[in-house]
Amino acid sequence: MMNKTTKDILADIVSVIRPSFESKGFTFKKNCFESSDSSGNVYQYEINLSKSKGHFSLHLRLKLLNKYLMKEVNAVLEKVLRDSNYRYPSNWSEKDIEVSIKTRINDYCVSMITDWRCFKNENESLDEFRSRFSIWMCVFNDINEVNNWEKQLIESVELSISWFSMIGSDEWIINNTLYPALLMLKKIKSGNELDEKYRDVLSKVRSEDEAKLFFNYLSVI
């Protein structure tokens, strides 16, 4: 059998799911299927495919992006990241810090799914889910090694469309995100709800110190 490249495998994957996505108004761009709405939301089904040491690695990710919302979030975040009290690893150079800042403030992702186990049925175990649906993160030499790979890809489209249909509203963003939710609540002057969300954010973030700085800068807007 002829050795396939990542370009070949990507073409195989796209050929399976393109009809389903195009019927829902999505278009293919580089390595993702994408659709947008009048609120500035962009919905992406991203196909991350790489090849290393002879085998392919596939990871499917779902993203909600909104440049307008995240520009405001990132304006606050930049102040946080440049604050004199913000702590970076001691071995980072000024260049490392600047690259990190630019990467973060140019990210317009509101929410993302990288672990599709969130879609498992209530009555099945994680092992059962993984045994029937593993295409979202897998390694293979030949894609035919992945059991029912075409069927799994079609199911991934159905799951993504279902998720996309539920997300993107102001209410959803407030209930399901962190910094974007804080910004939205601040803009509508929702005092008690903002404080409650802030406590929720502190319980979920990797860095409480960063979240506290974010909230402080947000408070003076």
Side-chain angles (χ1 to χ4, degrees):
M1 183 179 68
M2 184 195 318
N3 290 330
K4 288 194 171 185
T5 65
T6 54
K7 185 177 180 180
D8 296 326
I9 298 298
L10 179 61
D12 290 340
I13 292 171
V14 170
S15 68
V16 172
I17 60 180
R18 185 191 290 273
S20 298
F21 270 123
E22 289 188 343
S23 70
K24 299 294 184 180
F26 283 73
T27 56
F28 184 67
K29 298 182 178 180
K30 193 176 179 179
N31 72 327
C32 67
F33 283 93
E34 182 177 293
S35 180
S36 59
D37 65 22
S38 59
S39 299
N41 291 321
V42 177
Y43 307 91
Q44 284 187 349
Y45 173 106
E46 191 175 69
I47 307 166
N48 293 286
L49 182 67
S50 61
K51 188 175 184 179
S52 176
K53 297 180 181 179
H55 65 261
F56 297 95
S57 296
L58 174 64
H59 189 189
L60 305 177
R61 300 193 301 187
L62 305 181
K63 290 183 176 182
L64 168 66
L65 300 97
N66 190 306
K67 190 172 184 178
Y68 306 106
L69 170 61
M70 292 308 297
K71 269 191 170 183
E72 294 186 75
V73 172
N74 291 339
V76 179
L77 180 60
E78 183 172 10
K79 293 178 181 179
V80 171
L81 299 177
R82 297 190 183 281
D83 189 283
S84 59
N85 292 317
Y86 193 90
R87 294 181 179 275
Y88 290 97
S90 59
N91 62 339
W92 278 26
S93 66
E94 288 297 322
K95 183 178 179 180
D96 293 330
I97 292 172
E98 196 61 32
V99 168
S100 176
I101 291 173
K102 287 184 177 180
T103 298
R104 292 195 64 186
I105 65 175
N106 286 290
D107 184 1
Y108 301 122
C109 184
V110 179
S111 184
M112 176 169 56
I113 285 182
T114 60
D115 188 340
W116 291 53
R117 289 177 294 183
C118 63
F119 293 124
K120 81 175 186 69
N121 297 324
E122 291 184 4
N123 60 346
E124 68 179 338
S125 67
L126 289 175
D127 286 340
E128 289 170 334
F129 175 75
R130 185 73 186 181
S131 67
R132 72 171 179 82
F133 187 73
S134 61
I135 197 74
W136 60 275
M137 182 180 284
C138 59
V139 176
F140 52 85
N141 293 308
D142 183 326
I143 197 168
N144 290 299
E145 296 169 3
V146 181
N147 188 43
N148 296 318
W149 68 275
E150 292 170 300
K151 180 180 179 182
Q152 288 196 51
L153 281 174
I154 294 298
E155 182 176 1
S156 76
V157 176
E158 295 170 353
L159 290 171
S160 65
I161 295 297
S162 176
W163 187 66
F164 291 146
S165 70
M166 295 186 297
I167 69 173
S169 67
D170 289 355
E171 181 181 7
W172 188 91
I173 292 172
I174 288 170
N175 290 331
N176 293 277
T177 69
L178 302 179
Y179 292 170
L182 289 176
L183 179 83
M184 293 186 77
L185 286 169
K186 171 63 177 178
K187 290 178 71 175
I188 61 178
K189 295 180 172 58
S190 181
N192 292 335
E193 195 174 351
L194 176 59
D195 291 339
E196 183 178 338
K197 185 65 184 184
Y198 175 53
R199 289 191 291 272
D200 178 57
V201 168
L202 285 178
S203 71
K204 294 176 179 177
V205 291
R206 293 179 181 178
S207 171
E208 283 193 15
D209 289 340
E210 179 183 290
K212 289 175 181 177
L213 281 172
F214 188 92
F215 191 73
N216 288 341
Y217 276 110
L218 189 66
S219 299
V220 297
I221 291 179

